[in-house]
Amino acid sequence: MKRAVFAGSFSPVHSGHVEIIRRISELFDEVIVAVTENVNKPCYISLEDKKNLLVDACHDFKNVKVMSFNGTLADFCKENAVDCIVKSMRNSIDFEYEYEMATVNKKLFGVETLFLLSAPEYRHISSTLVREFLRYGKDISALVPDGMASKIKEVVNVSKI
């Protein structure tokens, strides 16, 4: 059985994330969506709330499970017998950062990384954009999975944005 992980801070989950998760679920036997805190980013949503939002967003994918973790992704992969890390690419900026991480994960920990290009209709969406819309009281429903806008609004700490 081939197991992949799609990891991120998902602060908050958006339609681009879910599109990538759907595609990964078609390529692998099992997919773990691993949510963590990014120490380099401010926290706008609790880890538990991010996990719950992802569970809701991924409920249609039978071979996907959502887990939270602290520590390195390489250690998470080893602990959970993950064969491959999947990273999404929206642009060349994403590639530059993720390429370095993929090299480290392969050389130091033996974990392969697969890059998937975001579908054109989702390349403009980022968690930063969703938070910016929330900050100014704009409708986020076109940026997040169906039915998730109100759930996301409930858990995002807008005063910290």
Side-chain angles (χ1 to χ4, degrees):
M1 177 185 330
K2 292 291 182 182
R3 178 183 278 177
V5 66
F6 181 56
S9 56
F10 303 102
S11 190
V13 61
H14 57 69
S15 296
H17 292 136
V18 175
E19 186 265 340
I20 291 290
I21 293 165
R22 178 193 59 76
R23 289 170 51 203
I24 299 168
S25 75
E26 294 171 356
L27 296 171
F28 290 89
D29 299 313
E30 185 178 350
V31 177
I32 300 171
V33 177
V35 60
T36 189
E37 298 292 347
N38 184 333
V39 296
N40 297 314
K41 295 180 181 179
C43 182
Y44 305 105
I45 308 171
S46 74
L47 186 59
E48 189 64 27
D49 284 336
K50 290 191 288 188
K51 182 179 176 186
N52 291 336
L53 289 170
L54 281 160
V55 167
D56 284 349
C58 296
H59 73 273
D60 286 337
F61 311 124
K62 302 305 178 212
N63 62 335
V64 172
K65 70 179 176 180
V66 178
M67 298 172 69
S68 58
F69 76 101
N70 291 306
T72 69
L73 183 54
D75 287 337
F76 180 86
C77 291
K78 189 175 284 189
E79 291 164 8
N80 291 281
V82 169
D83 301 296
C84 183
I85 298 168
V86 179
K87 293 292 188 166
S88 64
M89 301 283 119
R90 290 174 300 158
N91 53 44
S92 60
I93 295 167
D94 286 350
F95 177 78
E96 289 298 323
Y97 175 77
E98 298 298 352
Y99 176 78
E100 289 178 12
M101 292 305 300
T103 302
V104 169
N105 285 330
K106 178 63 177 170
K107 284 187 178 254
L108 298 182
F109 305 105
V111 181
E112 287 288 351
T113 301
L114 173 69
F115 296 122
L116 285 181
L117 296 177
S118 296
E121 62 268 29
Y122 297 106
R123 284 194 187 133
H124 67 287
I125 301 175
S126 67
S127 293
T128 302
L129 179 64
V130 174
R131 290 192 309 270
E132 199 68 14
F133 271 45
L134 288 170
R135 179 179 186 197
Y136 293 107
K138 301 296 181 193
D139 181 16
I140 62 168
S141 58
L143 305 173
V144 300
D146 290 340
M148 298 289 297
S150 62
K151 293 175 184 179
I152 290 171
K153 286 179 190 177
E154 288 175 16
V155 298
V156 173
N157 187 342
V158 178
S159 67
K160 288 189 175 184
I161 299 175

